[in-house]
Amino acid sequence: MAEDEVFNYEEGNEQDNNVWDGYLDIKLRAVDPQQFNSREELLDHLFKHWILIDDGRMSFSLDRTTRKKSFMISARELSIAHGNNPQYWEWESTTKSRFREVARLVWVYWLDVIGTIPLNMLTPSTTYAAYLVFSLTNNAFGLDTKAMEGQVSINNEKHETRTVCLLNPQECRHVKHAEKSRLRDDGWIEVKLGQGFVHGGEVGTFEMKLTETKELWEKRGLVIQGIDIRPVAIKEQSSLLNFASLPVVNVFAFLSVCCFVWFTVK
């Protein structure tokens, strides 16, 4: 998106006002608080940039498509099995990351990475997806196992579990029905761990996991920047062929017309 792109601020008026009203909380948590003179100036900034909050352990922005809250949880804020043991994980600084540190996997058999965010931080009535944001070292190994799973739970209730493959799609062909990774605009890689619906008004947590605790192969070379939590855009349903949205009478009428046309052409 071009830096000078103009946003239509009238589209989400009530929602945008909520962002403006709620910015005080974000400002109090920001590492480098910024002053905005208008709602439009604030929104324009958050659509294009992220803000570090909570002592630099999380970032906040607005999704450009849905105009809803997005967060990235840093690796330091995640619960990583053996994460504080330098025999298994090392913590490094890199200018490529928005956070001070990233976690580099030296080697493990048991891979278990968990992130949580309070439900009241997310936009109500919204489906959120979680993405592991990572890179791979040249000696990455053992990250293409079919037992690698991503999972999203809300208040300990599983909403989705899926097989994920962290290597490039060509190297993941043998892992059937696996969620493939993709390159992000910022140069990092991401893979979708799952998604879940946030109703609003709930007390509890939105939890995301990456696990491989079944086959227990040796793994190494994974570099974790964090987990991205962002709203899922609602795709418009396509027209007449979406039978689920048609009344039964209309479905029969549609099929009758199709049969008539087919026999006429024949």
Side-chain angles (χ1 to χ4, degrees):
M1 178 175 292
E3 283 295 317
D4 58 353
E5 180 168 343
V6 177
F7 293 94
N8 181 2
Y9 296 104
E10 299 304 319
E11 289 180 355
N13 197 39
E14 182 178 352
Q15 184 170 289
D16 293 347
N17 282 334
N18 290 336
V19 172
W20 174 253
D21 294 339
Y23 180 65
L24 178 60
D25 177 58
I26 293 296
K27 185 177 179 180
L28 292 174
R29 297 165 60 181
V31 173
D32 182 21
Q34 300 183 49
Q35 184 65 41
F36 298 99
N37 298 318
S38 67
R39 184 193 69 167
E40 289 73 19
E41 186 180 345
L42 167 65
L43 293 173
D44 190 57
H45 181 85
L46 293 177
F47 282 135
K48 297 175 181 177
H49 309 284
W50 40 263
I51 294 175
L52 285 178
I53 62 174
D54 297 349
D55 195 31
R57 295 189 171 216
M58 186 180 294
S59 68
F60 168 75
S61 63
L62 289 180
D63 179 71
R64 293 167 174 169
T65 303
T66 64
R67 312 170 73 85
K68 297 181 178 183
K69 299 175 185 176
S70 296
F71 295 89
M72 187 187 292
I73 304 172
S74 70
R76 268 296 183 193
E77 198 70 3
L78 302 176
S79 173
I80 302 176
H82 308 299
N84 292 322
N85 188 332
Q87 180 180 351
Y88 302 112
W89 290 88
E90 290 187 351
W91 292 90
E92 303 174 337
S93 297
T94 171
T95 56
K96 297 179 181 179
S97 172
R98 67 182 64 179
F99 304 115
R100 283 192 295 265
E101 293 178 300
V102 297
R104 180 176 63 83
L105 174 59
V106 180
W107 75 273
V108 293
Y109 292 111
W110 182 285
L111 181 64
D112 192 17
V113 179
I114 303 174
T116 60
I117 187 170
L119 289 171
N120 60 13
M121 287 180 63
L122 303 175
T123 304
S125 303
T126 302
T127 298
Y128 273 91
Y131 299 82
L132 181 76
V133 181
F134 67 98
S135 64
L136 300 171
T137 65
N138 293 331
N139 68 339
F141 179 81
L143 303 175
D144 57 346
T145 167
K146 61 184 179 181
M148 189 83 70
E149 289 186 346
Q151 184 184 111
V152 163
S153 303
I154 295 179
N155 286 338
N156 297 319
E157 179 182 340
K158 294 181 183 178
H159 277 239
E160 188 174 15
T161 300
R162 58 177 66 195
T163 301
V164 299
C165 185
L166 304 184
L167 303 184
N168 68 61
Q170 289 73 24
E171 297 177 273
C172 291
R173 291 176 180 174
H174 66 287
V175 185
K176 295 182 179 180
H177 311 298
E179 184 72 29
K180 304 299 193 299
S181 63
R182 74 171 191 89
L183 187 65
R184 293 162 51 99
D185 292 339
D186 59 9
W188 288 81
I189 307 168
E190 70 176 21
V191 67
K192 188 175 182 180
L193 302 177
Q195 63 185 46
F197 185 76
V198 176
H199 293 276
E202 303 153 292
V203 176
T205 57
F206 188 97
E207 182 180 84
M208 307 133 282
K209 289 184 180 181
L210 174 73
T211 61
E212 200 292 271
T213 57
K214 297 176 182 178
E215 293 186 347
L216 301 179
W217 294 354
E218 180 183 349
K219 305 164 194 66
R220 61 175 180 261
L222 173 65
V223 180
I224 299 177
Q225 178 178 196
I227 294 181
D228 208 4
I229 306 106
R230 57 181 189 260
V232 176
I234 300 175
K235 296 182 179 179
E236 294 183 2
Q237 298 296 323
S238 90
S239 66
L240 297 171
L241 294 180
N242 184 5
F243 293 111
S245 65
L246 290 173
V248 175
V249 174
N250 288 348
V251 172
F252 281 117
F254 179 79
L255 293 176
S256 298
V257 172
C258 290
C259 290
F260 174 77
V261 172
W262 187 83
F263 281 112
T264 301
V265 174
K266 186 177 179 182

